[in-house]
Amino acid sequence: MHLSKDLFGADFEWGVSTAAFQVEGSHDADGKGLSVWDVFTTKKGKILNGDHAQTACDFYNLYERDIDLIKELNIPNFRFSISWTRILPEGTGKINQAGIDYYNRVINYCIKQGVEPWLTVYHWDLPHVLEVKGGWTNREAINWFSEFITICAQNFGDRVKHWMVMNEPVVFTGAGYFFGIHAPGRSGMKNFVPAIHHVTMSIAEGGRILRKLLPSTAQIGTTFSCSQIEPYTDKPRDIAAAVRADALINRLYIEPLLGMGYPIKDLPALKDLKKYFYPGDEDNLRFDFDFIGIQNYTREIVKYSFFTPYINASMVKAEKRGVDLTAMRWEVYPPSIYHMIKKYDAYPNVKKIIVTENGSAFPDEVTDGEVNDPKRLKYLKDYIAQVLKAKNEGCKVNGYFVWTLTDNFEWAEGYHPRFGLIHVDHATQQRTVKTSGRWYAEFLK
Ligand code: FCB
């Protein structure tokens, strides 16, 4: 089959995604406060090769050049996030006008170049001063976040039509508050469980605030990571382990937001969530989003594990399964995105699905001024074909965004995984469009 964008219909939204912390750099410029990630990256042993993001892709200064590149690649939609500590250096209270001015410049330049801005309000960079007060484990976080999102709506809502309240809650609470491998580096159920509830409440409240302040103009969404989960064998205990893993990885946040409650029946380890409920929370967990962003990269094979506490399930690593791998050691498995679209489409109340991230990292190199990346090219084509398959079967999927524009700071993995359509030489900030980027431009023409 020849893949053409016409097969998706004229109203299908094509785009590319980034996140503030991963590209901006200028971590303390123009009055910006420090986020949990600014602090976490200074701690020894947390980030591969001791990398940090103080310069990253220097998007803070080079945003015009990068938005020009988006235009050159014919990409109509650009998803990026707002750094909370540029706007509110102390987390709450005093507004830093230079931060507002910066995002106004970025938004205005997008519009000038005919690129539609899609805003993620929160992509993991909580102000450090708020983490000192307990971060997401503190119920006050709902008020802190409400203040931040209100300021974003008031300042950017006249021009920004597409909003995503938060990015991948299960990743930043799981990695940041249970495993301690992401900022702020806290671990255990005592941190994870309250963080889950306060984050879910904040997502719903954030949705309500956007709808109240931007009633007729905003398309309001939020994004979820998801992976197809399959049991290692058809033994009942592996099947049951896969059900628990699915509840944690794919269902934990979307179900309460859709009004279905937390999936505690399938994940009894989270029964303590109820302890953090205040009267009225049951109803307030729900918000009627205009669209759901799903972000899929791979699938997971799960087996029963006696030794893994709480969940009694573990992943069978892709490198032990003899499958194609990316630089993240994630399996290349295009049908996963099809199954995830089907899964989320089947929920009642999901009005529209946008794939807000999909992409792959490989060890790309510049040779004679070119970056030839056949594996990424094949990955993109194969995953996009699976999105089309779901759409043709009637799923309400209506957009696809590549992760990501430029090779950037990949959290605990540092700069080693290169996810960009555009190669970045991190020493010189030289950009080189990869073969995959040229293909996407041709596809979108
Ligand atoms: C997602 C994140 C994004 C990026 C990709 C590879 O989990 O949302 O910031 O790191 O993975």
Side-chain angles (χ1 to χ4, degrees), residues 288-336:
D288 191 18
F289 284 100
D290 298 314
F291 70 93
I292 293 298
I294 69 164
Q295 319 200 142
N296 171 263
Y297 290 88
T298 188
R299 77 164 161 178
E300 301 294 352
I301 305 293
V302 170
K303 66 174 182 187
Y304 173 80
S305 159
F306 176 76
F307 295 103
T308 316
Y310 307 114
I311 181 164
N312 290 119
S314 66
M315 313 245 199
V316 183
K317 286 193 175 139
E319 60 252 52
K320 291 198 178 149
R321 292 189 270 119
V323 294
D324 283 346
L325 296 182
T326 69
M328 297 292 280
R329 297 182 297 281
W330 295 343
E331 179 183 5
V332 177
Y333 190 71
S336 179

Side-chain angles (χ1 to χ4, degrees), residues 229-243 300-303 316:
I229 308 282
E230 289 185 290
Y232 185 51
T233 70
D234 54 14
K235 286 189 193 132
R237 61 182 201 171
D238 284 342
I239 294 173
V243 169
E300 301 294 352
I301 305 293
V302 170
K303 66 174 182 187
V316 183

Side-chain angles (χ1 to χ4, degrees), residues 19 22 123-124 167-168 171 295 297 330 357 403 410-411 419:
Q22 294 178 275
H123 200 124
W124 305 358
N167 181 70
E168 297 193 350
V171 177
Q295 319 200 142
Y297 290 88
W330 295 343
E357 285 182 22
W403 181 270
E410 180 48 38
W411 311 110
F419 271 98

Side-chain angles (χ1 to χ4, degrees), residues 11 67 94 220 266 282 323 397 430:
D11 63 347
I67 295 166
K94 203 173 132 279
I220 304 165
D266 287 327
E282 212 87 52
V323 294
V397 58
Q430 172 77 38

Side-chain angles (χ1 to χ4, degrees), residues 254-266:
I254 189 167
E255 293 192 1
L257 286 160
L258 292 175
M260 302 162 71
Y262 291 109
I264 293 175
K265 198 167 113 335
D266 287 327

